[in-house]
Amino acid sequence: VQLQASGGGLVQVGGSLRLSCAASRRPGGRFVMGWFRQAPGKEREFVAAFRWDGGISYYADSVKGRFTISKDNAQTTVYLQMNSLRPEDTAVYYCAADPFWSHIMRADYWGQGTLVTVSS
């Protein structure tokens, strides 16, 4: 499956952005979709993931309560709604997909990154 991320940009502290990840085909029921990010000079880190059938979802502690991962079944698109943005959220965000929940951290499929910059 091919993934294409979009929606990044420049936003002020406390603002919101919604990232989109379009998949080339509709994921199967247990397919896992996730978002990761990489800040300058830092390693890539997990942000959020969920199983397409809605059975499991998980968020990094740093974004819990502020970010929401969701999907649009009709358009095979996954979203990351980001609210109450902080400067430390500045990073390149990547979407990822894998057939197995246990493998999402080393997902088989990755989209290109989209840059999110939070200014203070």
Side-chain angles (χ1 to χ4, degrees), residues 27-42:
R30 288 180 175 265
F31 225 81
V32 183
M33 307 293 293
W35 287 96
F36 293 76
R37 66 186 182 187
Q38 187 167 18
K42 295 187 177 181

Side-chain angles (χ1 to χ4, degrees), residues 74-89:
Q75 298 186 13
T76 66
T77 300
V78 176
Y79 302 103
L80 184 69
Q81 178 67 43
M82 306 186 295
N83 298 329
S84 303
L85 284 162
R86 305 167 180 169
E88 55 264 39
D89 295 319

